Amino acid sequence: MDLLLPAWCDVVWSATAVCTLVLLVIALLTLSRSANSLSSLHALVWTLVALFVSIAGPLAWLLIGRRSANTSRDDMATRVAR
């Protein structure tokens, strides 16, 4: 028994670690699925940001990056249709 930290702190830190890991896996899966619509450099940068910027990196991809990937995919589709 740790006298300095109560037991609920361990539970909170463990839950935070699990949530961070799940968020990272989801971000990397969606990034790999939309890699066709991104350039190689953009895909590499987003992957590195998701891996090395703990919680903000995957959140940034899920909230901002996917939108930009979808708009670039739509732009490509309109260019091909012309």
Side-chain angles (χ1 to χ4, degrees):
M1 181 173 180
D2 190 4
L3 298 176
L4 297 177
L5 292 173
W8 62 268
C9 286
D10 290 336
V11 173
V12 170
W13 281 112
S14 298
T16 303
V18 168
C19 289
T20 302
L21 184 63
V22 167
L23 187 64
L24 176 64
V25 168
I26 291 170
L28 290 177
L29 284 175
T30 59
L31 180 61
S32 68
R33 288 182 183 160
S34 63
N36 294 335
S37 63
L38 295 172
S39 69
S40 298
L41 181 63
H42 283 115
L44 176 66
V45 168
W46 275 114
T47 302
L48 292 175
V49 167
L51 286 173
F52 293 116
V53 181
S54 178
I55 294 172
L59 280 178
W61 165 252
L62 292 172
L63 297 175
I64 300 168
R66 288 193 324 176
R67 286 188 211 158
S68 65
N70 288 338
T71 57
S72 66
R73 184 183 314 152
D74 293 341
D75 291 344
M76 265 199 287
T78 55
R79 287 182 197 153
V80 169
R82 289 181 189 178

Coordinates of all heavy atoms in Angstrom, one line a residue:
M1 N 0.8 -1.2 0.0 CA 0.0 0.0 0.0 C 0.9 1.2 0.0 O 1.8 1.4 0.8 CB -0.9 0.0 1.2 CG -1.8 1.2 1.3 SD -3.0 0.9 2.6 CE -3.9 2.4 2.5
D2 N 0.6 2.1 -0.9 CA 1.3 3.4 -1.0 C 0.7 4.4 -0.1 O -0.5 4.7 -0.2 CB 1.3 3.9 -2.5 CG 2.3 5.0 -2.7 OD1 3.0 5.4 -1.8 OD2 2.2 5.5 -3.9
L3 N 1.5 5.0 0.8 CA 1.0 5.9 1.7 C 0.9 7.3 1.1 O 0.2 8.2 1.7 CB 1.9 6.0 3.0 CG 2.0 4.6 3.7 CD1 3.0 4.8 4.9 CD2 0.6 4.3 4.3
L4 N 1.6 7.6 0.0 CA 1.6 8.9 -0.5 C 0.5 9.1 -1.5 O -0.1 10.2 -1.6 CB 2.9 9.2 -1.2 CG 4.2 9.2 -0.3 CD1 5.4 9.4 -1.1 CD2 4.0 10.3 0.7
L5 N 0.1 8.1 -2.3 CA -1.0 8.2 -3.2 C -2.1 7.2 -2.9 O -1.8 6.1 -2.7 CB -0.5 8.0 -4.7 CG 0.5 9.0 -5.3 CD1 1.0 8.5 -6.6 CD2 -0.2 10.3 -5.4
P6 N -3.3 7.7 -3.0 CA -4.4 6.8 -2.7 C -4.6 5.8 -3.9 O -4.1 6.0 -5.0 CB -5.6 7.7 -2.6 CG -5.3 9.0 -3.1 CD -3.8 9.1 -3.1
A7 N -5.3 4.7 -3.7 CA -5.5 3.7 -4.7 C -6.2 4.2 -6.0 O -6.0 3.7 -7.1 CB -6.2 2.5 -4.1
W8 N -7.1 5.2 -5.8 CA -7.9 5.6 -7.0 C -7.0 6.4 -8.0 O -7.3 6.4 -9.1 CB -9.0 6.5 -6.5 CG -8.6 7.8 -5.8 CD1 -8.5 8.0 -4.5 CD2 -8.3 9.0 -6.4 NE1 -8.1 9.2 -4.2 CE2 -8.0 9.9 -5.4 CE3 -8.2 9.5 -7.7 CZ2 -7.6 11.2 -5.6 CZ3 -7.9 10.8 -7.9 CH2 -7.5 11.7 -6.9
C9 N -5.8 6.9 -7.5 CA -4.9 7.5 -8.5 C -4.4 6.5 -9.5 O -4.2 6.8 -10.6 CB -3.8 8.1 -7.7 SG -4.2 9.7 -6.9
D10 N -4.1 5.3 -9.0 CA -3.6 4.2 -9.9 C -4.7 3.9 -10.9 O -4.4 3.6 -12.1 CB -3.2 3.0 -9.1 CG -2.0 3.1 -8.2 OD1 -1.2 4.0 -8.6 OD2 -1.8 2.4 -7.3
V11 N -5.9 3.8 -10.5 CA -7.0 3.5 -11.4 C -7.1 4.6 -12.4 O -7.3 4.3 -13.6 CB -8.3 3.3 -10.6 CG1 -9.5 3.2 -11.6 CG2 -8.2 2.1 -9.7
V12 N -7.1 5.9 -12.0 CA -7.2 7.0 -13.0 C -6.0 7.0 -14.0 O -6.3 7.1 -15.2 CB -7.2 8.3 -12.2 CG1 -7.1 9.5 -13.1 CG2 -8.5 8.4 -11.4
W13 N -4.8 6.8 -13.5 CA -3.7 6.7 -14.4 C -3.7 5.6 -15.4 O -3.4 5.7 -16.6 CB -2.4 6.7 -13.7 CG -2.0 8.1 -13.2 CD1 -1.9 8.5 -11.9 CD2 -1.7 9.2 -13.9 NE1 -1.6 9.8 -11.8 CE2 -1.4 10.3 -13.1 CE3 -1.6 9.5 -15.3 CZ2 -1.1 11.6 -13.5 CZ3 -1.2 10.8 -15.7 CH2 -1.0 11.8 -14.8
S14 N -4.2 4.4 -14.9 CA -4.4 3.3 -15.8 C -5.4 3.5 -16.8 O -5.2 3.1 -18.0 CB -4.7 2.0 -15.0 OG -3.7 1.7 -14.1
A15 N -6.5 4.1 -16.4 CA -7.6 4.4 -17.4 C -7.2 5.4 -18.4 O -7.5 5.3 -19.6 CB -8.8 4.9 -16.7
T16 N -6.4 6.4 -18.0 CA -5.9 7.4 -18.9 C -4.9 6.7 -19.9 O -5.0 7.0 -21.1 CB -5.1 8.5 -18.1 OG1 -6.0 9.1 -17.2 CG2 -4.6 9.5 -19.1
A17 N -4.1 5.8 -19.5 CA -3.1 5.2 -20.4 C -3.9 4.3 -21.4 O -3.6 4.3 -22.6 CB -2.2 4.3 -19.6
V18 N -4.9 3.6 -20.9 CA -5.7 2.7 -21.8 C -6.4 3.6 -22.9 O -6.4 3.3 -24.1 CB -6.7 1.8 -21.1 CG1 -7.7 1.2 -22.0 CG2 -5.9 0.8 -20.3
C19 N -7.0 4.7 -22.4 CA -7.7 5.6 -23.4 C -6.8 6.2 -24.4 O -7.1 6.3 -25.5 CB -8.5 6.7 -22.6 SG -9.9 6.1 -21.7
T20 N -5.6 6.6 -23.9 CA -4.6 7.1 -24.8 C -4.2 6.1 -25.9 O -4.1 6.4 -27.1 CB -3.4 7.6 -24.1 OG1 -3.8 8.6 -23.1 CG2 -2.3 8.2 -25.0
L21 N -4.0 4.9 -25.5 CA -3.6 3.8 -26.4 C -4.7 3.5 -27.4 O -4.5 3.4 -28.6 CB -3.2 2.6 -25.6 CG -2.7 1.4 -26.5 CD1 -1.4 1.8 -27.1 CD2 -2.5 0.2 -25.6
V22 N -5.9 3.5 -26.9 CA -7.1 3.2 -27.8 C -7.2 4.4 -28.8 O -7.5 4.1 -30.0 CB -8.4 3.0 -27.0 CG1 -9.6 3.1 -27.9 CG2 -8.3 1.7 -26.3
L23 N -7.1 5.6 -28.4 CA -7.2 6.7 -29.2 C -6.1 6.7 -30.3 O -6.3 7.0 -31.5 CB -7.0 8.0 -28.4 CG -7.3 9.3 -29.1 CD1 -8.7 9.4 -29.6 CD2 -7.0 10.5 -28.1
L24 N -4.9 6.3 -29.9 CA -3.8 6.2 -30.9 C -4.0 5.1 -31.9 O -3.8 5.3 -33.1 CB -2.5 5.9 -30.2 CG -1.2 5.7 -31.0 CD1 -0.9 6.9 -31.8 CD2 -0.1 5.2 -30.2
V25 N -4.5 4.0 -31.5 CA -4.8 2.9 -32.4 C -5.9 3.3 -33.4 O -5.8 3.1 -34.6 CB -5.2 1.6 -31.7 CG1 -5.8 0.6 -32.6 CG2 -4.0 1.1 -31.0
I26 N -7.0 4.0 -32.9 CA -8.0 4.4 -33.8 C -7.5 5.5 -34.8 O -7.8 5.4 -36.0 CB -9.2 5.0 -33.0 CG1 -9.9 3.9 -32.2 CG2 -10.2 5.8 -33.9 CD1 -10.9 4.4 -31.2
A27 N -6.7 6.4 -34.3 CA -6.1 7.4 -35.2 C -5.2 6.8 -36.3 O -5.3 7.1 -37.5 CB -5.3 8.4 -34.4
L28 N -4.4 5.8 -35.9 CA -3.5 5.2 -36.9 C -4.3 4.3 -37.9 O -4.0 4.3 -39.1 CB -2.5 4.3 -36.2 CG -1.4 5.1 -35.4 CD1 -0.5 4.2 -34.7 CD2 -0.7 6.1 -36.4
L29 N -5.4 3.7 -37.5 CA -6.2 2.9 -38.4 C -6.9 3.8 -39.4 O -6.9 3.5 -40.6 CB -7.2 2.1 -37.6 CG -6.7 0.8 -36.9 CD1 -7.8 0.2 -36.1 CD2 -6.2 -0.1 -37.9
T30 N -7.5 4.9 -38.9 CA -8.2 5.8 -39.9 C -7.2 6.5 -40.8 O -7.5 6.8 -41.9 CB -9.0 6.9 -39.1 OG1 -8.2 7.6 -38.3 CG2 -10.1 6.2 -38.4
L31 N -6.0 6.8 -40.3 CA -4.9 7.4 -41.1 C -4.5 6.4 -42.2 O -4.3 6.8 -43.3 CB -3.7 7.8 -40.2 CG -2.5 8.4 -40.9 CD1 -2.9 9.7 -41.6 CD2 -1.4 8.6 -39.9
S32 N -4.3 5.1 -41.9 CA -3.9 4.2 -42.9 C -5.0 4.0 -43.9 O -4.7 3.7 -45.1 CB -3.6 2.8 -42.2 OG -4.7 2.2 -41.7
R33 N -6.3 4.1 -43.5 CA -7.4 3.9 -44.5 C -7.5 5.1 -45.4 O -7.9 5.0 -46.6 CB -8.7 3.8 -43.8 CG -8.8 2.4 -43.1 CD -10.1 2.2 -42.5 NE -10.2 1.0 -41.8 CZ -11.0 0.7 -40.9 NH1 -11.9 1.5 -40.5 NH2 -11.0 -0.5 -40.3
S34 N -7.1 6.3 -45.0 CA -7.2 7.5 -45.8 C -5.9 7.9 -46.4 O -5.7 9.0 -47.0 CB -7.8 8.6 -45.0 OG -7.0 9.0 -44.0
A35 N -4.9 7.0 -46.3 CA -3.5 7.4 -46.8 C -3.5 7.5 -48.4 O -2.7 8.2 -48.9 CB -2.5 6.3 -46.4
N36 N -4.5 6.9 -49.1 CA -4.5 7.0 -50.5 C -4.9 8.4 -50.9 O -4.5 8.9 -52.0 CB -5.6 6.0 -51.1 CG -5.2 4.6 -50.9 OD1 -4.0 4.3 -50.8 ND2 -6.1 3.7 -50.9
S37 N -5.6 9.1 -50.1 CA -6.0 10.5 -50.5 C -5.0 11.5 -50.0 O -5.1 12.7 -50.3 CB -7.4 10.8 -49.9 OG -7.3 10.8 -48.5
L38 N -4.0 11.1 -49.3 CA -2.9 12.0 -48.8 C -1.7 11.8 -49.6 O -1.4 10.7 -50.1 CB -2.7 11.8 -47.3 CG -3.8 12.1 -46.3 CD1 -3.4 11.6 -45.0 CD2 -4.1 13.5 -46.3
S39 N -0.8 12.8 -49.6 CA 0.5 12.6 -50.2 C 1.3 11.9 -49.2 O 1.0 11.8 -48.0 CB 1.1 14.0 -50.5 OG 1.4 14.7 -49.3
S40 N 2.4 11.3 -49.7 CA 3.3 10.6 -48.8 C 3.8 11.4 -47.6 O 3.9 10.9 -46.5 CB 4.5 10.0 -49.6 OG 4.0 9.1 -50.6
L41 N 4.2 12.6 -47.9 CA 4.7 13.5 -46.9 C 3.6 13.8 -45.8 O 3.9 13.8 -44.6 CB 5.2 14.8 -47.5 CG 5.8 15.8 -46.5 CD1 7.0 15.2 -45.9 CD2 6.1 17.1 -47.2
H42 N 2.4 14.1 -46.3 CA 1.3 14.4 -45.3 C 1.0 13.2 -44.5 O 0.8 13.3 -43.2 CB 0.1 14.9 -46.0 CG 0.1 16.3 -46.5 ND1 0.1 16.6 -47.8 CD2 0.2 17.4 -45.8 CE1 0.2 17.9 -48.0 NE2 0.3 18.4 -46.8
A43 N 1.0 12.0 -45.1 CA 0.7 10.8 -44.3 C 1.8 10.6 -43.3 O 1.6 10.2 -42.1 CB 0.6 9.6 -45.2
L44 N 3.1 10.8 -43.7 CA 4.2 10.6 -42.8 C 4.2 11.6 -41.6 O 4.3 11.2 -40.4 CB 5.5 10.7 -43.5 CG 6.8 10.7 -42.6 CD1 6.9 9.3 -42.0 CD2 8.0 11.0 -43.5
V45 N 3.9 12.8 -41.9 CA 3.8 13.9 -40.9 C 2.7 13.6 -39.9 O 2.9 13.6 -38.7 CB 3.7 15.3 -41.5 CG1 3.3 16.3 -40.4 CG2 4.9 15.7 -42.2
W46 N 1.5 13.2 -40.4 CA 0.4 12.9 -39.5 C 0.7 11.7 -38.7 O 0.3 11.6 -37.5 CB -0.9 12.7 -40.3 CG -1.6 14.0 -40.6 CD1 -1.8 14.5 -41.8 CD2 -2.2 14.9 -39.6 NE1 -2.5 15.7 -41.7 CE2 -2.8 15.9 -40.3 CE3 -2.4 14.8 -38.3 CZ2 -3.5 17.0 -39.7 CZ3 -3.0 15.9 -37.6 CH2 -3.6 16.9 -38.3
T47 N 1.4 10.7 -39.2 CA 1.7 9.5 -38.4 C 2.7 9.9 -37.3 O 2.5 9.4 -36.2 CB 2.3 8.4 -39.3 OG1 1.4 8.1 -40.4 CG2 2.7 7.2 -38.6
L48 N 3.7 10.7 -37.6 CA 4.6 11.1 -36.6 C 4.0 11.9 -35.5 O 4.3 11.8 -34.3 CB 5.8 11.8 -37.2 CG 6.7 10.9 -38.1 CD1 7.8 11.8 -38.8 CD2 7.3 9.8 -37.3
V49 N 3.1 12.8 -35.9 CA 2.4 13.7 -35.0 C 1.5 12.8 -34.0 O 1.5 13.0 -32.8 CB 1.6 14.7 -35.7 CG1 0.6 15.4 -34.7 CG2 2.4 15.8 -36.3
A50 N 0.8 11.8 -34.6 CA 0.0 11.0 -33.8 C 0.8 10.1 -32.9 O 0.4 9.9 -31.7 CB -0.9 10.1 -34.7
L51 N 2.0 9.7 -33.3 CA 2.8 8.8 -32.4 C 3.5 9.6 -31.3 O 3.6 9.1 -30.2 CB 3.9 8.1 -33.3 CG 3.4 7.0 -34.1 CD1 4.5 6.4 -35.0 CD2 2.8 5.8 -33.3
F52 N 4.0 10.8 -31.6 CA 4.9 11.5 -30.7 C 4.3 12.6 -29.9 O 4.8 13.1 -28.9 CB 6.1 12.0 -31.4 CG 7.0 10.9 -31.9 CD1 7.2 10.7 -33.2 CD2 7.6 10.0 -31.0 CE1 8.0 9.7 -33.7 CE2 8.4 9.0 -31.5 CZ 8.6 8.8 -32.8
V53 N 3.1 13.0 -30.3 CA 2.4 14.0 -29.5 C 1.2 13.3 -28.8 O 0.2 13.1 -29.4 CB 1.9 15.2 -30.4 CG1 1.2 16.2 -29.5 CG2 3.0 15.8 -31.2
S54 N 1.4 13.0 -27.6 CA 0.6 12.0 -26.9 C -0.9 12.0 -27.1 O -1.4 11.2 -27.9 CB 0.9 12.2 -25.4 OG 0.1 11.3 -24.6
I55 N -1.6 12.8 -26.6 CA -3.1 12.8 -26.7 C -3.5 13.8 -27.8 O -4.5 13.5 -28.6 CB -3.8 13.2 -25.4 CG1 -3.5 12.1 -24.4 CG2 -5.3 13.3 -25.6 CD1 -4.0 12.4 -23.0
A56 N -2.8 14.9 -27.9 CA -3.2 15.9 -28.9 C -3.0 15.5 -30.3 O -3.7 15.9 -31.2 CB -2.4 17.2 -28.6
G57 N -2.0 14.7 -30.6 CA -1.7 14.2 -32.0 C -2.8 13.4 -32.6 O -3.4 13.7 -33.6
P58 N -3.3 12.3 -31.9 CA -4.4 11.5 -32.4 C -5.7 12.3 -32.5 O -6.5 12.2 -33.4 CB -4.5 10.4 -31.4 CG -3.2 10.2 -30.9 CD -2.6 11.6 -30.8
L59 N -5.9 13.2 -31.5 CA -7.1 14.0 -31.5 C -7.1 15.0 -32.7 O -8.1 15.2 -33.3 CB -7.3 14.8 -30.2 CG -7.9 14.0 -29.0 CD1 -7.9 14.9 -27.8 CD2 -9.3 13.5 -29.4
A60 N -5.9 15.6 -33.0 CA -5.8 16.5 -34.1 C -6.1 15.8 -35.4 O -6.8 16.3 -36.3 CB -4.4 17.1 -34.1
W61 N -5.6 14.6 -35.6 CA -5.9 13.8 -36.8 C -7.4 13.5 -36.9 O -8.0 13.7 -37.9 CB -5.1 12.5 -36.9 CG -5.7 11.6 -37.9 CD1 -6.4 10.5 -37.7 CD2 -5.6 11.8 -39.3 NE1 -6.8 9.9 -38.9 CE2 -6.3 10.8 -39.9 CE3 -5.1 12.8 -40.1 CZ2 -6.5 10.6 -41.3 CZ3 -5.2 12.7 -41.5 CH2 -5.9 11.6 -42.1
L62 N -8.0 13.1 -35.8 CA -9.4 12.7 -35.9 C -10.3 13.9 -36.1 O -11.3 13.8 -36.7 CB -9.8 11.9 -34.6 CG -9.1 10.6 -34.4 CD1 -9.4 10.0 -33.0 CD2 -9.6 9.6 -35.5
L63 N -9.9 15.1 -35.5 CA -10.8 16.2 -35.6 C -10.5 17.1 -36.8 O -11.4 17.7 -37.4 CB -10.7 17.1 -34.4 CG -11.2 16.4 -33.1 CD1 -10.9 17.3 -31.9 CD2 -12.6 16.0 -33.2
I64 N -9.2 17.2 -37.2 CA -8.8 18.1 -38.3 C -8.3 17.4 -39.6 O -8.7 17.6 -40.7 CB -7.7 19.1 -37.8 CG1 -8.2 19.9 -36.7 CG2 -7.2 20.0 -38.9 CD1 -7.1 20.6 -35.9
G65 N -7.5 16.4 -39.4 CA -6.8 15.7 -40.5 C -7.7 14.9 -41.4 O -7.6 14.9 -42.6
R66 N -8.7 14.3 -40.8 CA -9.6 13.5 -41.6 C -10.4 14.4 -42.5 O -10.8 14.0 -43.6 CB -10.5 12.6 -40.7 CG -9.8 11.5 -40.1 CD -10.8 10.5 -39.5 NE -11.9 11.1 -38.9 CZ -12.9 10.3 -38.3 NH1 -12.8 9.0 -38.4 NH2 -13.9 10.9 -37.8
R67 N -10.8 15.5 -42.0 CA -11.6 16.5 -42.9 C -10.8 16.9 -44.1 O -11.3 17.0 -45.2 CB -12.0 17.7 -42.1 CG -13.1 17.4 -41.1 CD -13.6 18.7 -40.5 NE -14.0 18.4 -39.2 CZ -14.1 19.3 -38.2 NH1 -13.8 20.6 -38.4 NH2 -14.6 19.0 -37.0
S68 N -9.5 17.2 -43.8 CA -8.7 17.7 -44.9 C -8.4 16.5 -45.9 O -8.3 16.8 -47.1 CB -7.4 18.3 -44.4 OG -6.6 17.3 -43.8
A69 N -8.3 15.3 -45.4 CA -8.1 14.2 -46.3 C -9.4 14.0 -47.1 O -9.3 13.6 -48.3 CB -7.8 12.9 -45.5
N70 N -10.5 14.1 -46.5 CA -11.8 14.0 -47.3 C -12.0 15.0 -48.3 O -12.4 14.8 -49.4 CB -13.0 13.9 -46.3 CG -13.1 12.7 -45.5 OD1 -12.5 11.7 -45.9 ND2 -13.7 12.7 -44.4
T71 N -11.6 16.3 -48.0 CA -11.8 17.3 -49.0 C -10.8 17.2 -50.2 O -11.1 17.4 -51.3 CB -11.6 18.7 -48.4 OG1 -10.3 18.8 -47.7 CG2 -12.7 19.0 -47.4
S72 N -9.6 16.7 -49.9 CA -8.6 16.5 -50.9 C -9.0 15.3 -51.8 O -8.8 15.3 -53.0 CB -7.2 16.2 -50.4 OG -7.1 15.0 -49.7
R73 N -9.7 14.3 -51.2 CA -10.2 13.2 -52.0 C -11.4 13.7 -52.9 O -11.4 13.3 -54.1 CB -10.7 12.1 -51.1 CG -11.2 10.9 -51.8 CD -11.8 9.8 -50.9 NE -11.0 9.6 -49.7 CZ -11.5 9.1 -48.6 NH1 -12.7 8.9 -48.4 NH2 -10.7 9.0 -47.6
D74 N -12.2 14.6 -52.4 CA -13.3 15.1 -53.2 C -12.7 16.0 -54.3 O -13.2 16.0 -55.4 CB -14.2 15.9 -52.3 CG -15.0 15.1 -51.4 OD1 -15.1 13.9 -51.6 OD2 -15.5 15.6 -50.4
D75 N -11.7 16.7 -54.0 CA -11.0 17.6 -55.1 C -10.4 16.7 -56.2 O -10.5 17.0 -57.3 CB -9.9 18.4 -54.5 CG -10.5 19.5 -53.6 OD1 -11.7 19.8 -53.7 OD2 -9.7 20.1 -52.8
M76 N -9.8 15.5 -55.8 CA -9.3 14.6 -56.8 C -10.4 14.0 -57.7 O -10.2 13.9 -58.9 CB -8.5 13.5 -56.1 CG -7.0 13.8 -56.0 SD -6.1 12.3 -55.7 CE -6.5 11.9 -54.0
A77 N -11.5 13.7 -57.0 CA -12.6 13.1 -57.8 C -13.2 14.1 -58.8 O -13.5 13.8 -59.9 CB -13.7 12.7 -56.8
T78 N -13.2 15.4 -58.4 CA -13.8 16.4 -59.4 C -12.8 16.7 -60.5 O -13.2 16.9 -61.6 CB -14.1 17.7 -58.6 OG1 -13.0 18.2 -57.9 CG2 -15.3 17.5 -57.7
R79 N -11.5 16.6 -60.2 CA -10.5 16.8 -61.2 C -10.5 15.6 -62.2 O -10.4 15.8 -63.4 CB -9.1 16.9 -60.6 CG -8.8 18.1 -59.9 CD -7.4 18.2 -59.4 NE -7.3 19.2 -58.4 CZ -6.4 19.2 -57.4 NH1 -5.6 18.2 -57.3 NH2 -6.4 20.2 -56.6
V80 N -10.7 14.4 -61.8 CA -10.8 13.3 -62.6 C -12.1 13.3 -63.5 O -12.0 13.0 -64.7 CB -10.7 12.0 -61.8 CG1 -11.0 10.7 -62.7 CG2 -9.4 11.8 -61.2
A81 N -13.1 13.8 -62.9 CA -14.4 13.9 -63.6 C -14.4 14.9 -64.8 O -15.1 14.8 -65.7 CB -15.5 14.2 -62.6
R82 N -13.5 15.9 -64.7 CA -13.5 16.9 -65.7 C -12.8 16.5 -66.9 O -12.5 15.9 -67.6 CB -12.7 18.2 -65.1 CG -13.5 18.9 -64.1 CD -12.8 20.1 -63.7 NE -13.5 20.7 -62.5 CZ -13.0 21.7 -61.9 NH1 -11.9 22.3 -62.2 NH2 -13.7 22.2 -60.9

